[in-house]
Amino acid sequence: QVQLVESGGGLVQAGGSLRLSCVASGSISNFNVKGWYRQAPGKQRELVATVTSGGTINYGDSVKGRFTISGDNAKNTLYLQMSSLKPEDTAVYYCNAFRPATLYSRAYNSWGQGTQVTVSS
């Protein structure tokens, strides 16, 4: 099972930027779907951004035009560039890696421990 470790969270002022990183213990190219999710206090976990092995990217409606997902296969790292941050972006951000079952392997759905992002007004 792949281990994921997020970093880069912190306290920022509204309108500022922050870059989150997710380092995988294995090759990031082995994941079918990689992405970022977030969960605010008292709220359900929601999609932020995902990218497939084929390069298809989708964003949650609330972050379109402000956040960008990218990766560096050489470093086995997934990134989330966050710009024009708003107080409503305050949440714990989680990295995710998913691979469906194949003829030879069981499916897995791995999550990192999360990193806190707090945006002040």
Side-chain angles (χ1 to χ4, degrees), residues 28-109:
I28 198 171
S29 64
N30 290 333
F31 310 146
N32 293 86
V33 183
K34 296 156 286 187
W36 292 92
Y37 295 76
R38 68 186 183 186
Q39 187 167 210
K43 306 292 184 179
Q44 294 184 351
R45 186 171 298 185
E46 66 175 345
L47 167 72
V48 176
T50 59
V51 58
T52 70
S53 296
T56 301
I57 298 174
N58 70 300
Y59 295 96
D61 290 339
S62 63
V63 306
K64 288 180 179 177
R66 299 188 299 119
F67 292 8
T68 302
I69 188 171
S70 63
D72 187 336
N73 288 342
K75 297 181 179 179
N76 289 325
T77 303
L78 186 70
Y79 300 103
L80 182 69
Q81 178 64 50
M82 311 165 70
S83 301
S84 301
L85 284 163
K86 307 173 181 179
E88 65 189 48
D89 294 318
T90 295
V92 177
Y93 284 70
Y94 297 92
C95 180
N96 174 256
F98 174 75
R99 185 180 69 187
T102 69
L103 290 173
Y104 311 104
S105 303
R106 293 183 177 181
Y108 70 81
N109 189 25

